[in-house]
Amino acid sequence: IAFGVKNLEESVARLKEKGAQIIPGKARAPGEKATFHFVHPKSTHGLLIELLGPEVSQQIAEGRPK
């Protein structure tokens, strides 16, 4: 399941504070921030959750690929 979030880093920080395990996404180019992260299924009763930053969420909404 995937959720678009307004501020990816803030959302990840809040989840970590609550004990969630985060699987970091990869940046497209060196020096760039990742545009997505996953919440490990161990933290969500077996469900893999993807958090999408606003740029990726917008691309998906407009029908453009990631």
Side-chain angles (χ1 to χ4, degrees):
I1 221 169
F3 294 98
V5 295
K6 290 181 181 179
N7 185 318
L8 183 61
E9 298 308 317
E10 184 179 300
S11 297
V12 167
R14 279 192 288 175
L15 287 167
K16 283 183 176 181
E17 286 175 8
K18 297 189 181 288
Q21 294 179 7
I22 302 298
I23 303 168
K26 300 205 183 234
R28 291 185 180 200
E32 288 185 7
K33 289 184 178 180
T35 56
F36 66 95
H37 292 292
F38 294 97
V39 181
H40 197 285
K42 288 182 181 179
S43 299
T44 58
H45 303 284
L47 181 65
L48 180 65
I49 296 176
E50 183 178 17
L51 300 174
L52 303 170
E55 52 283 322
V56 176
S57 299
Q58 186 65 35
Q59 289 175 356
I60 291 170
E62 294 173 358
R64 295 184 283 152
K66 286 197 228 184

